[in-house]
Amino acid sequence: MTKPLYTAQAQVTGGRAHGHGRSSDGMLDVDLRQPKELGGDGDGTNPEQLFAVGYAACFSAVLTMLGQRQGLKAGDAAVDAKVMLIPNADGTFKLGVELDITLPSIEDPEQAAGLVHTAHQVCPYSNATRGNIDVALSVNGSALRG
């Protein structure tokens, strides 16, 4: 394995239904609970929420970096992420993701779409999920294809 630039470390005890998660530096410290939609009390966070925040944060950073390289203002991007837990017919589950990106400073639809497509090729979360889960993208209210 190539030497990493950064390693995040966390421990979870008790799983997703009645667990607790904490990063090694203590900056993230959460109670894990099932959402009400899955029969839980919803009085904590869940892995899908954590994944949504991580993916959105990473995608936003990539948009800003690529925008700077292309001379586009993308630092005001907002990324709304939905991470869905989808049942399979065999009783297992898969994930689905929708990223709705708003680029207030990029009015040209082709420029905005091009930036989002490129970000999707560069973002580490997109690369990790490519071919494993469906990711739907939209920018400034329009769905992106391919």
Side-chain angles (χ1 to χ4, degrees), residues 62-83:
V62 171
L63 286 168
T64 299
M65 176 194 68
L66 292 173
Q68 288 172 344
R69 288 183 185 172
Q70 296 177 23
L72 300 171
K73 185 179 176 194
D76 59 353
V79 179
D80 292 307
K82 292 181 183 176
V83 174

Side-chain angles (χ1 to χ4, degrees), residues 4-127:
L5 296 175
Y6 170 73
T7 300
Q9 186 175 341
Q11 183 182 62
V12 170
T13 56
R16 69 176 288 138
H18 298 287
H20 187 82
R22 186 177 188 280
S23 61
S24 60
D25 63 5
M27 296 301 291
L28 179 65
D29 194 328
V30 295
D31 289 325
L32 300 168
R33 300 293 183 266
Q34 290 278 44
K36 290 180 181 180
E37 295 85 351
L38 296 178
D41 60 19
D43 288 340
T45 193
N46 60 67
E48 293 75 30
Q49 291 170 323
L50 295 168
F51 190 80
V53 168
Y55 201 158
C58 187
F59 205 91
S60 180
V62 171
L63 286 168
T64 299
M65 176 194 68
L66 292 173
Q68 288 172 344
R69 288 183 185 172
Q70 296 177 23
L72 300 171
K73 185 179 176 194
D76 59 353
V79 179
D80 292 307
K82 292 181 183 176
V83 174
M84 296 151 289
L85 189 61
I86 303 166
N88 288 316
D90 64 0
T92 62
F93 297 90
K94 65 181 180 177
L95 295 177
V97 172
E98 293 178 4
L99 299 179
D100 181 18
I101 298 99
T102 303
L103 296 167
S105 296
I106 303 177
E107 294 180 15
D108 181 284
E110 288 183 20
Q111 276 187 328
L115 184 63
V116 169
H117 275 295
T118 303
H120 190 47
Q121 296 306 310
V122 174
C123 176
Y125 277 72
S126 293
N127 288 331

